[in-house]
């Protein structure tokens, strides 16, 4: 990815509320825009908002009124996660790297025991994936303990500091056992 800044509205002339209203009403075939006003749980939702609508709210601080930047100051930023079923080591790696280049920020690997059985297999799937920037999670049901051991082995091989690791092992032995998988429970 390049270092250039991309502006979604960069090639369009600015428009005011009146211009937007005319375009919206044309799309509604002349019906008034007010037809789209909704009331949900006592909150009126307008069909059109502009930057001016939020001007009175101010910039705000996370966790402080008027809560325009979230209700909790300690909440991590949004993540874009994509799940991958491993259909082939190299093909899955290519899909992961492409998606990371296009905006995915976390990776979930759906692992069964046959697709990724060795640390080398997992290393191949994650070649070029910087797990210190894009957390890796696994979803492996009954194969969870073995898959977790592989992921932890990969982190160890890459020299990751356990204090700063980002990722998820998603182990659920009781859920596996309850679903009837004989390998997942006590």
């Amino acid at each position: 990815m390049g270092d250039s800044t991309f502006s979604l509205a960069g090639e369009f002339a600015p428009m005011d509320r009146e211009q937007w209203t005319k375009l919206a009403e044309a799309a509604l075939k002349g019906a008034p825009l007010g037809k789209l006003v909704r009331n949900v749980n006592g909150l009126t939702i307008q069909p059109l908002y502009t930057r001016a609508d939020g001007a009175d709210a101010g910039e705000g601080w996370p966790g402080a009124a008027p809560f325009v930047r979230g209700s909790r100051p300690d909440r991590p930023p949004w993540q874009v996660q994509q799940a991958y079923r491993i259909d082939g080591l190299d093909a899955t790696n290519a899909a992961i790297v492409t998606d990371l280049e296009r905006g995915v920020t976390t990776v979930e690997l759906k692992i069964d025991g046959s697709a990724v059985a060795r640390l080398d297999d997992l290393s191949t799937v994650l070649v070029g994936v910087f797990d210190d920037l894009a957390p890796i999670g696994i979803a492996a049901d009954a194969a969870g303990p073995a898959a977790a051991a592989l992921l932890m082995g990969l982190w160890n091989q890459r020299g990751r500091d356990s204090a700063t690791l980002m990722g998820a092992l998603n182990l659920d032995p009781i859920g596996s056992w309850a679903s009837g998988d004989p390998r997942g429970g006590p």
Side-chain angles (χ1 to χ4, degrees), residues 116-149:
V116 175
R118 302 174 308 127
L119 183 57
D120 289 344
D121 296 338
L122 186 58
S123 293
T124 299
V125 169
L126 296 174
V127 166
V129 176
F130 299 101
D131 54 32
D132 52 341
L133 300 175
I136 307 296
I138 57 170
D141 296 327

Side-chain angles (χ1 to χ4, degrees), residues 31 47 58-59 93 120 123 179:
E59 210 173 293
N93 173 258
D120 289 344
S123 293
S179 68

Side-chain angles (χ1 to χ4, degrees), residues 131-136 151-169:
D131 54 32
D132 52 341
L133 300 175
I136 307 296
L151 183 57
M152 290 171 34
L154 179 70
W155 285 333
N156 187 45
Q157 184 181 67
R158 291 181 172 185
R160 297 295 178 249
D161 179 2
S162 61
T164 60
L165 275 175
M166 297 186 298
L169 300 177

